[in-house]
PDB file of all heavy atoms in Angstrom:
ATOM      1  N   SER F1043     108.683 176.430  19.343  1.00  0.00           N
ATOM      2  CA  SER F1043     107.941 177.212  20.240  1.00  0.00           C
ATOM      3  C   SER F1043     106.934 176.321  21.055  1.00  0.00           C
ATOM      4  O   SER F1043     106.591 176.579  22.153  1.00  0.00           O
ATOM      5  CB  SER F1043     107.123 178.325  19.578  1.00  0.00           C
ATOM      6  OG  SER F1043     105.891 177.860  19.040  1.00  0.00           O
ATOM      7  N   PHE F1044     106.453 175.291  20.389  1.00  0.00           N
ATOM      8  CA  PHE F1044     105.508 174.354  21.007  1.00  0.00           C
ATOM      9  C   PHE F1044     106.261 173.632  22.257  1.00  0.00           C
ATOM     10  O   PHE F1044     105.733 173.622  23.369  1.00  0.00           O
ATOM     11  CB  PHE F1044     105.073 173.207  20.041  1.00  0.00           C
ATOM     12  CG  PHE F1044     104.202 172.208  20.578  1.00  0.00           C
ATOM     13  CD1 PHE F1044     102.841 172.402  20.780  1.00  0.00           C
ATOM     14  CD2 PHE F1044     104.699 170.953  20.982  1.00  0.00           C
ATOM     15  CE1 PHE F1044     101.996 171.490  21.351  1.00  0.00           C
ATOM     16  CE2 PHE F1044     103.851 169.986  21.548  1.00  0.00           C
ATOM     17  CZ  PHE F1044     102.498 170.274  21.720  1.00  0.00           C
ATOM     18  N   VAL F1045     107.405 173.158  21.998  1.00  0.00           N
ATOM     19  CA  VAL F1045     108.184 172.411  22.989  1.00  0.00           C
ATOM     20  C   VAL F1045     108.562 173.494  24.134  1.00  0.00           C
ATOM     21  O   VAL F1045     108.517 173.065  25.329  1.00  0.00           O
ATOM     22  CB  VAL F1045     109.411 171.650  22.466  1.00  0.00           C
ATOM     23  CG1 VAL F1045     110.212 171.118  23.565  1.00  0.00           C
ATOM     24  CG2 VAL F1045     108.918 170.568  21.496  1.00  0.00           C
ATOM     25  N   ASN F1046     108.940 174.656  23.773  1.00  0.00           N
ATOM     26  CA  ASN F1046     109.435 175.598  24.731  1.00  0.00           C
ATOM     27  C   ASN F1046     108.347 175.916  25.797  1.00  0.00           C
ATOM     28  O   ASN F1046     108.681 176.056  26.948  1.00  0.00           O
ATOM     29  CB  ASN F1046     109.812 176.946  24.050  1.00  0.00           C
ATOM     30  CG  ASN F1046     111.230 176.839  23.604  1.00  0.00           C
ATOM     31  OD1 ASN F1046     111.994 175.959  24.043  1.00  0.00           O
ATOM     32  ND2 ASN F1046     111.667 177.846  22.736  1.00  0.00           N
ATOM     33  N   ARG F1047     107.079 175.963  25.439  1.00  0.00           N
ATOM     34  CA  ARG F1047     106.044 176.248  26.347  1.00  0.00           C
ATOM     35  C   ARG F1047     106.059 175.198  27.460  1.00  0.00           C
ATOM     36  O   ARG F1047     105.845 175.497  28.622  1.00  0.00           O
ATOM     37  CB  ARG F1047     104.673 176.241  25.671  1.00  0.00           C
ATOM     38  CG  ARG F1047     104.479 177.327  24.713  1.00  0.00           C
ATOM     39  CD  ARG F1047     103.115 177.766  24.580  1.00  0.00           C
ATOM     40  NE  ARG F1047     102.968 178.485  23.272  1.00  0.00           N
ATOM     41  CZ  ARG F1047     102.003 178.148  22.370  1.00  0.00           C
ATOM     42  NH1 ARG F1047     101.160 177.249  22.619  1.00  0.00           N
ATOM     43  NH2 ARG F1047     102.033 178.793  21.264  1.00  0.00           N
ATOM     44  N   PHE F1048     106.337 173.949  27.088  1.00  0.00           N
ATOM     45  CA  PHE F1048     106.432 172.961  28.111  1.00  0.00           C
ATOM     46  C   PHE F1048     107.646 173.126  28.952  1.00  0.00           C
ATOM     47  O   PHE F1048     107.617 172.834  30.150  1.00  0.00           O
ATOM     48  CB  PHE F1048     106.471 171.527  27.389  1.00  0.00           C
ATOM     49  CG  PHE F1048     105.064 171.194  26.869  1.00  0.00           C
ATOM     50  CD1 PHE F1048     104.698 171.505  25.583  1.00  0.00           C
ATOM     51  CD2 PHE F1048     104.175 170.587  27.738  1.00  0.00           C
ATOM     52  CE1 PHE F1048     103.520 171.187  25.117  1.00  0.00           C
ATOM     53  CE2 PHE F1048     102.927 170.322  27.189  1.00  0.00           C
ATOM     54  CZ  PHE F1048     102.532 170.577  25.958  1.00  0.00           C
ATOM     55  N   HIS F1049     108.679 173.547  28.348  1.00  0.00           N
ATOM     56  CA  HIS F1049     109.856 173.764  29.125  1.00  0.00           C
ATOM     57  C   HIS F1049     109.709 174.732  30.227  1.00  0.00           C
ATOM     58  O   HIS F1049     110.152 174.602  31.324  1.00  0.00           O
ATOM     59  CB  HIS F1049     111.017 174.241  28.231  1.00  0.00           C
ATOM     60  CG  HIS F1049     111.686 173.159  27.380  1.00  0.00           C
ATOM     61  ND1 HIS F1049     112.620 172.304  27.868  1.00  0.00           N
ATOM     62  CD2 HIS F1049     111.369 172.783  26.148  1.00  0.00           C
ATOM     63  CE1 HIS F1049     112.928 171.383  26.939  1.00  0.00           C
ATOM     64  NE2 HIS F1049     112.170 171.721  25.861  1.00  0.00           N
ATOM     65  N   GLU F1050     108.840 175.800  29.919  1.00  0.00           N
ATOM     66  CA  GLU F1050     108.595 176.825  30.926  1.00  0.00           C
ATOM     67  C   GLU F1050     107.901 176.180  32.124  1.00  0.00           C
ATOM     68  O   GLU F1050     108.260 176.389  33.307  1.00  0.00           O
ATOM     69  CB  GLU F1050     107.648 177.871  30.387  1.00  0.00           C
ATOM     70  CG  GLU F1050     108.440 178.861  29.533  1.00  0.00           C
ATOM     71  CD  GLU F1050     107.468 179.821  28.778  1.00  0.00           C
ATOM     72  OE1 GLU F1050     106.436 180.043  29.322  1.00  0.00           O
ATOM     73  OE2 GLU F1050     107.810 180.399  27.677  1.00  0.00           O
ATOM     74  N   THR F1051     106.896 175.341  31.867  1.00  0.00           N
ATOM     75  CA  THR F1051     106.206 174.751  33.005  1.00  0.00           C
ATOM     76  C   THR F1051     107.125 173.834  33.683  1.00  0.00           C
ATOM     77  O   THR F1051     107.068 173.713  34.984  1.00  0.00           O
ATOM     78  CB  THR F1051     104.869 174.076  32.448  1.00  0.00           C
ATOM     79  OG1 THR F1051     104.451 174.660  31.272  1.00  0.00           O
ATOM     80  CG2 THR F1051     103.840 173.994  33.510  1.00  0.00           C
ATOM     81  N   ALA F1052     107.885 173.050  32.934  1.00  0.00           N
ATOM     82  CA  ALA F1052     108.762 172.122  33.516  1.00  0.00           C
ATOM     83  C   ALA F1052     109.691 172.887  34.424  1.00  0.00           C
ATOM     84  O   ALA F1052     110.050 172.399  35.548  1.00  0.00           O
ATOM     85  CB  ALA F1052     109.494 171.327  32.378  1.00  0.00           C
ATOM     86  N   ASP F1053     110.203 174.048  33.993  1.00  0.00           N
ATOM     87  CA  ASP F1053     111.166 174.735  34.821  1.00  0.00           C
ATOM     88  C   ASP F1053     110.676 175.025  36.259  1.00  0.00           C
ATOM     89  O   ASP F1053     111.433 174.964  37.131  1.00  0.00           O
ATOM     90  CB  ASP F1053     111.402 176.163  34.147  1.00  0.00           C
ATOM     91  CG  ASP F1053     112.686 176.214  33.376  1.00  0.00           C
ATOM     92  OD1 ASP F1053     113.483 175.201  33.481  1.00  0.00           O
ATOM     93  OD2 ASP F1053     112.877 177.246  32.651  1.00  0.00           O
ATOM     94  N   MET F1054     109.352 175.252  36.332  1.00  0.00           N
ATOM     95  CA  MET F1054     108.800 175.559  37.626  1.00  0.00           C
ATOM     96  C   MET F1054     108.907 174.311  38.607  1.00  0.00           C
ATOM     97  O   MET F1054     108.829 174.499  39.769  1.00  0.00           O
ATOM     98  CB  MET F1054     107.303 175.952  37.461  1.00  0.00           C
ATOM     99  CG  MET F1054     107.105 177.310  36.728  1.00  0.00           C
ATOM    100  SD  MET F1054     105.496 177.974  37.053  1.00  0.00           S
ATOM    101  CE  MET F1054     104.461 176.871  36.210  1.00  0.00           C
ATOM    102  N   LEU F1055     109.200 173.207  38.040  1.00  0.00           N
ATOM    103  CA  LEU F1055     109.262 172.052  38.808  1.00  0.00           C
ATOM    104  C   LEU F1055     110.683 171.740  39.326  1.00  0.00           C
ATOM    105  O   LEU F1055     110.954 170.815  40.082  1.00  0.00           O
ATOM    106  CB  LEU F1055     108.781 170.806  38.114  1.00  0.00           C
ATOM    107  CG  LEU F1055     107.232 170.722  37.852  1.00  0.00           C
ATOM    108  CD1 LEU F1055     106.856 169.636  36.941  1.00  0.00           C
ATOM    109  CD2 LEU F1055     106.523 170.666  39.225  1.00  0.00           C
ATOM    110  N   ARG F1056     111.597 172.580  38.796  1.00  0.00           N
ATOM    111  CA  ARG F1056     112.928 172.481  39.198  1.00  0.00           C
ATOM    112  C   ARG F1056     113.193 172.194  40.771  1.00  0.00           C
ATOM    113  O   ARG F1056     113.837 171.222  41.143  1.00  0.00           O
ATOM    114  CB  ARG F1056     113.829 173.646  38.820  1.00  0.00           C
ATOM    115  CG  ARG F1056     114.980 173.271  37.971  1.00  0.00           C
ATOM    116  CD  ARG F1056     115.631 174.663  37.445  1.00  0.00           C
ATOM    117  NE  ARG F1056     115.521 174.753  36.035  1.00  0.00           N
ATOM    118  CZ  ARG F1056     116.327 174.169  35.165  1.00  0.00           C
ATOM    119  NH1 ARG F1056     117.282 173.350  35.529  1.00  0.00           N
ATOM    120  NH2 ARG F1056     116.193 174.303  33.822  1.00  0.00           N
TER     121      ARG F1056
END
Side-chain angles (χ1 to χ4, degrees):
Chain F
S1043 87
F1044 178 81
V1045 172
N1046 272 346
R1047 294 208 202 127
F1048 286 92
H1049 285 278
E1050 283 172 25
T1051 331
D1053 259 353
M1054 293 199 291
L1055 289 173
R1056 236 174 244 281

